[in-house]
């Protein structure tokens, strides 16, 4: 499948509020129902970005791997390729998904990172290897090795939204240096496990992050959100002109390095259904004009941040991003997603 033809959704099950919760209490039957609902409502859906949990793997590797295999089978049964998200660095203040804290990546930041050599080498563990390195390596090696040439997997997303802070603009920042070193280490472990699929990184809406992670990405991943309510002084993607200038800068950079561009998250949320449809139509039109494939965030109602109505839990600034409500019905007007399916 060509990158420009990727047309789909991120997926998080409805039964949990965090990555650990979703995977520790994985509901295979409900997942099958929710994916089937999505395919019935949006028949052109061809790619799913599916968030994993290294925390759940650490607690019960065998069960985690079995659930991963079963879920890949569900998607394949509907003709949907998968982009597994291996790690997460987006930390939500309203309803946190969980993931990798910076103090696990930054040397000397905690009792478990008392070394300057945390992620120096993707090879075998030595006697002085930091605990976080051993934990991350086992997770990556076992998950990827089991599916290294699995045709159901379109790409591996090494991490969701790393470098999500002003420090991404400072090449001397210890945070930036540590996080990039960890991502490079992750890439080495994944390749060492035999992965044949492309590798990508789900970058926040900042060109600096896209540029920083380009050397470790086979497909450039980014999150083009038209944040219509506005969000902070550091970005102008809440205006049409600013959003489209951001898209054009990303496209130009991708062309300059000869790599495809993939919107692994897109379409900002709204409580009002009609507003969300407006955001969807505008955003996907601008992506299609530029030949950019996408996995919209996200398919189904969930307890996870930004994927539920106010009656189901705390709601943050992005409001409601989901397309299917808790009962499986399509939010009003959201069948318009089908207008953007590849020909």
């Amino acid at each position: 499948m060509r990158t420009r033809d990727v047309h789909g959704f991120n997926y998080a099950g409805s039964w949990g509020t965090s990555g650990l919760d979703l995977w520790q209490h994985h509901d295979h039957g409900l997942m099958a129902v929710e994916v089937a609902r999505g395919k019935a409502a949006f028949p052109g859906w061809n790619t799913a970005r599916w968030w994993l949990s290294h925390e759940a793997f650490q607690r019960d590797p065998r069960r985690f791997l079995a659930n991963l295999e079963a879920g890949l089978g569900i998607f394949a049964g509907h003709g949907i390729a998968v982009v597994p998200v291996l790690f997460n660095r987006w930390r939500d203040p309203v309803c946190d998904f969980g993931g990798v804290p910076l103090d696990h990546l930054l040397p000397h930041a905690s009792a478990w990172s008392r070394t300057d050599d945390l992620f120096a080498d993707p090879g075998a563990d030595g006697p002085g290897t930091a605990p976080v390195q051993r934990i991350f390596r086992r997770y990556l090696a076992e998950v990827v090795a089991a599916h290294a040439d699995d045709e159901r997997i379109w790409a591996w997303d090494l991490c969701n939204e790393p470098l999500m802070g002003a420090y991404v603009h400072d090449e001397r920042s210890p945070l930036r240096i540590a996080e990039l070193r960890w991502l490079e280490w992750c890439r080495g472990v994944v390749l060492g496990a035999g992965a044949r699929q492309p590798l990508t990184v789900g970058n926040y809406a900042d060109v600096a992050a896209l540029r920083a992670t380009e050397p470790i990405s086979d497909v450039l991943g980014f999150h083009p959100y038209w944040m219509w309510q506005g969000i902070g002084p550091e970005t102008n993607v809440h205006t049409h002109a600013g959003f489209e200038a951001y898209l054009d800068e990303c496209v130009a950079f991708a062309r300059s390095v000869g790599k495809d561009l993939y919107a692994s998250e897109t379409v900002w949320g709204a409580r009002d259904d009609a507003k969300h449809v407006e955001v969807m139509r505008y955003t996907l039109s601008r992506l299609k004009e530029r030949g950019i494939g996408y996995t919209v965030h996200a398919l189904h109602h969930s307890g996870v941040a930004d994927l539920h109505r106010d009656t189901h839990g705390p709601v943050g600034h992005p409001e409601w991003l989901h397309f299917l409500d808790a009962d499986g019905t399509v939010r009003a007007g959201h069948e318009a997603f089908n207008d953007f399916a590849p020909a």
Side-chain angles (χ1 to χ4, degrees), residues 60-294:
D60 193 340
R62 182 179 297 180
R63 183 168 183 266
F64 181 89
L65 291 172
N67 288 332
L68 173 60
E69 172 61 31
L72 289 171
I74 289 174
F75 285 119
H78 292 284
I80 299 168
V82 178
V83 181
V85 183
L86 292 165
F87 288 112
N88 174 51
R89 279 280 304 117
W90 156 67
R91 308 309 302 265
D92 188 81
V94 175
C95 187
D96 193 34
F97 184 84
V100 181
L102 271 176
D103 63 1
H104 286 183
L105 309 181
L106 188 65
H108 305 289
S110 79
W112 307 115
S113 59
R114 292 177 179 170
T115 174
D116 290 313
D117 212 23
L118 271 176
F119 300 102
D121 183 357
D125 293 321
T129 305
V132 291
Q133 185 174 345
R134 293 196 300 270
I135 291 167
F136 291 160
R137 179 183 287 119
R138 183 184 177 193
Y139 165 68
L140 290 173
E142 294 195 24
V143 168
V144 174
H147 302 284
D149 56 0
D150 194 329
E151 295 183 354
R152 298 172 297 181
I153 293 176
W154 180 70
W156 295 99
D157 192 326
L158 295 176
C159 187
N160 177 67
E161 295 190 344
L163 303 165
M164 194 179 176
Y167 63 89
V168 69
H169 297 278
D170 179 5
E171 293 186 2
R172 297 171 298 176
S173 165
L175 301 180
R176 186 183 192 272
I177 292 167
E179 199 162 3
L180 281 172
R181 193 178 195 191
W182 170 66
L183 288 169
E184 292 164 358
W185 178 88
C186 289
R187 176 180 171 86
V189 176
V190 168
L191 292 177
R196 297 184 182 180
Q197 304 92 339
L199 305 185
T200 187
V201 175
N203 289 295
Y204 179 66
D206 191 318
V207 179
L210 189 71
R211 291 179 179 275
T213 60
E214 180 274 322
I216 60 172
S217 303
D218 303 310
V219 174
L220 300 183
F222 75 138
H223 293 173
Y225 282 117
W226 170 45
M227 301 174 186
W228 58 274
Q229 320 109 305
I231 182 169
E234 74 281 358
T235 177
N236 65 347
V237 292
H238 62 284
T239 69
H240 285 177
F243 178 71
E244 292 175 37
Y246 162 67
L247 288 182
D248 290 338
E249 187 174 0
C250 292
V251 169
F253 175 66
R255 287 176 178 166
S256 74
V257 295
K259 293 182 179 180
D260 287 345
L261 191 61
Y262 156 55
S264 51
E265 286 184 31
T266 191
V267 181
W268 197 243
R271 284 181 169 87
D272 180 75
D273 289 340
K275 183 63 179 181
H276 197 224
V277 172
E278 175 195 341
V279 174
M280 171 180 61
R281 284 194 173 280
Y282 169 71
T283 303
L284 297 188
S285 293
R286 301 293 87 78
L287 294 178
K288 294 286 280 189
E289 287 171 359
R290 293 162 174 79
I292 300 171
Y294 48 83

Side-chain angles (χ1 to χ4, degrees), residues 3 8 43 139 263 305 325:
T3 306
Y139 165 68
D325 270 324

Side-chain angles (χ1 to χ4, degrees), residues 19 22-23 27 31 37 50 58 64 69 71 77 89 124 126 140 155 219 224 232 262 265 299 301 304 313:
L22 285 168
W23 282 91
D27 190 326
M31 179 180 176
R37 286 171 174 172
W50 187 23
Q58 181 183 351
F64 181 89
E69 172 61 31
R89 279 280 304 117
L140 290 173
V219 174
Y262 156 55
E265 286 184 31
L299 175 70
H301 155 91
V304 168

